[in-house]
């Protein structure tokens, strides 16, 4: 099963290119595009994506702000940032992104980041899902945790 | 710009002390030559003079070493007055001491310096006057050297600023991304974009000519707009009202284009619906007025600092070339941010303003 992804970028040509590159990948399917954070938020309930490719710099709410907001949701989609200039990396990592890609994005790096996202999020979607009862570490229970 | 201060050399350093000793020796030699010429007395006169002047020089250096911090906070005139007064008092005190030693029959029974009796006051006055003349010359020298250094520094700074004014990396990477996208969807537009980018970088990396015609600068700004247009599409509109401008007038390279870049980066780009940047230019009585206006995002422009840096930079370069003839202004006007440049319309390069 493919990851369902939304591409968020204020520049049309950037969205077009990223979607075209993603079409060539097996792990992922682009189910929607948004040109700002507001549009992306509106699409979330409708499309229930697993993954967002987020431009860092956008008018209105920035990509980093959107990612922080997503972090407060239940079962949020994974985030891979895309940016033209490497000045937001720290903020992006603090927002717990699975990947950080520099534009123009390279196909191999896009594939690697997407694969990482597939392994880290919703592992039940993977080809060899570990059975659910395998989660046996003590802190998984809700009844008091010392660590 | 802060008012000019007198910057004395640091007299606490060995290097400055050596310079003081050289000045003192040359002054002593001048005095000995003028009073004794080349006859037998020259060396005696030189020794006497040196003995006195070395005291003046070293004590003066010690005082100025202590007073340097205070003098650096004064205007040039006040600082010079302080230096001259301090040295006048010092020379007066040392002359008085020297006089007592020389005039004392006990310490100087043979009246070695041939000091005529009854010339006490004249002796002190003469020394103070000579000291003041030498000090004034030295001060003048320090001042001129300082002015020269400041001038060199400001030219170097202008060069650095011109380098910094160049296209920002952000723009380059974004453009590359746009071109990468167009390569698939619209190869002929990708080709145009590559040509535009090449032209823009040629204009930006041109080291040789700091002054170009207004026509060339506006062309560079238009190319910049074309590239940004690809990226931002309908969101970016630029209105050009520049027909009145004398297109052959000279401007520093990168005067209009960085302002357009700012207007887009700090204004239109941060607005979801986009907006219109207006570039307008007029000329009246030989003065060119260029205005770049952009709408402000509602939430107060993020990163307004960038506006400041590019503007300081343009202001400094305009001043270096046109001197007081150049004026820059910027600020909010209603819901727009406006930058205004005024400078003389010149067809030939002016002398560098100092």
């Amino acid at each position: 099963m493919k990851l369902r992804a939304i591409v968020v970028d204020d520049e049309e040509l950037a969205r077009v290119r990223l979607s075209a590159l993603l079409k060539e990948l097996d792990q992922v399917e682009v189910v929607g595009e948004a040109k700002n954070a507001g549009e992306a938020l509106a699409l979330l309930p409708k499309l229930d994506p697993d993954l967002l490719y987020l431009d860092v710099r956008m008018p209105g709410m920035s990509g980093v702000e959107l990612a922080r907001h997503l972090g407060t949701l239940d079962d949020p989609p994974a985030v891979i940032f895309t940016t033209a200039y490497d000045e937001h990396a720290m903020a992006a990592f603090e927002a717990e992104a699975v990947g950080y890609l520099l534009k123009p994005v390279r196909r191999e790096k896009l594939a690697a980041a997407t694969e990482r996202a597939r392994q880290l999020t919703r592992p039940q979607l993977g080809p060899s899902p570990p059975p659910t009862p395998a989660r046996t570490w003590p802190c998984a229970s809700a009844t008091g945790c010392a660590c | 710009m802060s008012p000019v201060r007198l910057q004395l050399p640091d007299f606490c350093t060995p290097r400055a002390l050596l310079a003081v000793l050289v000045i003192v020796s040359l002054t002593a030699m001048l005095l000995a030559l003028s009073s004794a010429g080349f006859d037998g007395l020259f060396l005696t006169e030189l020794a006497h003079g040196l003995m006195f002047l070395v005291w003046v020089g070293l004590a003066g250096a010690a005082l100025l070493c202590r007073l340097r911090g205070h003098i650096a906070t004064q205007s040039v005139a006040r600082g010079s007055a302080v230096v001259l007064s301090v040295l006048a008092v010092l020379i007066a005190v040392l002359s008085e001491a020297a006089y007592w030693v020389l005039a004392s029959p006990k310490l100087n029974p043979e009246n070695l310096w041939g000091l005529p009796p009854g010339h006490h006051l004249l002796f002190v006055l003469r020394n103070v006057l000579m000291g003041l003349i030498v000090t004034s010359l030295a001060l003048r020298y320090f001042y001129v050297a300082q002015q020269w250094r400041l001038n060199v520094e400001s030219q170097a700074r202008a060069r650095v600023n011109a380098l910094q004014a160049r296209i920002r990396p952000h723009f380059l990477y974004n453009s590359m991304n746009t071109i990468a996208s167009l390569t698939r969807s619209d190869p002929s537009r990708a080709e145009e974009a590559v040509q535009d980018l090449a032209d823009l970088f040629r204009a930006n990396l041109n080291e040789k000519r700091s002054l170009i015609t207004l026509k060339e600068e506006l062309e560079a700004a238009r190319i910049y707009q074309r590239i940004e247009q690809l990226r931002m599409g309908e969101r970016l509109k630029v209105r050009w009202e520049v027909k009145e401008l004398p297109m052959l007038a000279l401007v520093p390279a990168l005067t209009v284009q960085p302002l357009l870049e700012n207007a887009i980066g700090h204004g239109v780009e941060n607005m979801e619906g986009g907006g219109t940047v207006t570039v307008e230019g007029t000329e009246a009585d030989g003065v060119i007025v260029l205005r770049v206006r952009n709408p402000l995002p509602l939430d107060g422009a993020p990163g307004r600092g960038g506006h400041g840096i590019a503007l300081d930079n343009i202001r400094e370069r305009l001043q270096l070339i046109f001197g007081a003839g150049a004026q820059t202004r910027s600020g909010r006007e209603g819901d727009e941010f406006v930058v205004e440049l005024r400078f003389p319309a010149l067809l030939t390069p002016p002398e560098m303003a100092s």
Side-chain angles (χ1 to χ4, degrees), chain B residues 295-301 304 330-339:
Chain B
L296 281 170
L298 288 177
D299 54 347
R304 183 77 60 76
S330 66
R332 242 192 132 110
E333 281 181 21
D335 53 0
E336 288 191 312
F337 190 82
V338 182
V339 176

Side-chain angles (χ1 to χ4, degrees), chain A residues 2 16 28-29 34 47 51 56 94:
Chain A
K2 288 183 172 187
V16 167
V28 65
E29 181 190 359
L47 299 177
L51 177 58
V56 172
E94 277 161 20

Side-chain angles (χ1 to χ4, degrees), chain A residues 10-14 16-17 20-21 24 36 38 57-61 83-85 87-88 103-105 107, chain B residues 169-170 173-174 176-178 180-182 184-185 189 230-232 235 264-266 268-272 299:
Chain A
D10 58 319
E11 294 171 25
E12 191 196 350
L13 288 172
V16 167
R17 172 154 198 271
L21 286 178
E24 297 166 8
N36 54 48
R57 213 186 142 186
M58 290 186 293
M61 190 194 263
T83 187
Y85 193 41
E87 62 191 333
H88 305 288
K103 294 189 217 173
V105 174
R107 193 168 300 153
Chain B
H170 217 126
Y173 299 131
N174 271 324
M176 290 298 183
N177 195 40
T178 304
S181 184
L182 285 174
R184 290 166 179 263
S185 58
R189 272 169 86 201
L230 285 177
R231 204 160 68 77
M232 296 175 61
R235 283 172 54 216
I264 294 172
H266 296 287
V268 178
E269 195 169 10
N270 298 319
M271 303 169 77
E272 289 186 11
D299 54 347

Side-chain angles (χ1 to χ4, degrees), chain B residues 76-310:
Chain B
V76 170
R78 288 180 63 115
S80 306
V82 170
V83 173
L84 288 172
S85 328
V86 165
L87 283 171
V89 172
L90 173 72
I91 293 170
V93 169
L94 285 174
S95 300
E96 185 68 20
Y99 186 85
W100 280 108
V101 172
L102 292 173
S104 148
K106 219 191 259 173
L107 292 172
N108 184 15
E110 292 150 41
N111 194 4
L112 262 180
W113 212 349
L115 204 63
H119 281 58
H120 184 172
L121 196 64
L122 273 182
F123 174 75
V124 173
L125 258 182
R126 193 191 68 160
N127 287 352
V128 168
L129 259 179
M130 289 195 300
L132 288 182
I133 290 169
V134 173
T135 311
S136 304
L137 288 175
L139 281 177
R140 176 71 194 160
Y141 166 78
F142 292 144
Y143 179 71
V144 170
Q146 177 189 344
Q147 288 298 309
W148 178 78
R149 200 178 55 236
L150 286 179
N151 204 1
V152 169
E153 273 169 13
S154 79
Q155 287 193 26
R157 202 164 49 234
R159 267 184 67 87
V160 171
N161 283 346
L163 287 172
Q164 285 170 345
R166 285 179 182 166
I167 303 269
R168 284 188 275 251
H170 217 126
F171 170 75
L172 174 63
Y173 299 131
N174 271 324
S175 308
M176 290 298 183
N177 195 40
T178 304
I179 291 169
S181 184
L182 285 174
T183 313
R184 290 166 179 263
S185 58
D186 193 343
S188 69
R189 272 169 86 201
E191 190 178 1
E192 274 168 37
V194 169
Q195 290 161 357
D196 276 346
L197 205 56
D199 279 347
L200 196 59
F201 272 79
R202 222 186 314 280
N204 259 266
L205 298 173
N206 187 347
E207 295 251 3
K208 288 183 205 103
R209 290 189 310 155
S210 60
L211 280 177
I212 61 176
T213 62
L214 205 45
K215 186 182 156 82
E216 290 169 305
E217 176 61 16
L218 289 174
E219 181 58 28
R222 282 212 169 88
I223 293 174
Y224 180 83
Q225 182 208 340
R226 276 209 293 275
I227 298 172
E228 289 290 60
Q229 201 78 63
L230 285 177
R231 204 160 68 77
M232 296 175 61
E234 289 293 296
R235 283 172 54 216
L236 173 64
K237 291 181 193 68
V238 182
R239 208 162 59 217
W240 296 88
E241 294 171 5
V242 291
K243 288 205 184 71
E244 281 181 45
L245 287 173
M247 288 299 166
L248 295 180
L250 295 173
V251 290
L254 303 180
T255 308
V256 180
Q257 186 256 311
L259 292 180
L260 181 62
E261 191 174 344
N262 269 342
I264 294 172
H266 296 287
V268 178
E269 195 169 10
N270 298 319
M271 303 169 77
E272 289 186 11
T276 304
V277 176
T278 309
V279 182
E280 51 194 7
T282 53
E283 189 221 349
D285 301 326
V287 175
I288 290 174
V289 181
L290 277 174
R291 284 162 61 89
V292 178
R293 298 188 281 139
N294 64 271
L296 281 170
L298 288 177
D299 54 347
R304 183 77 60 76
H307 249 306
I309 295 167

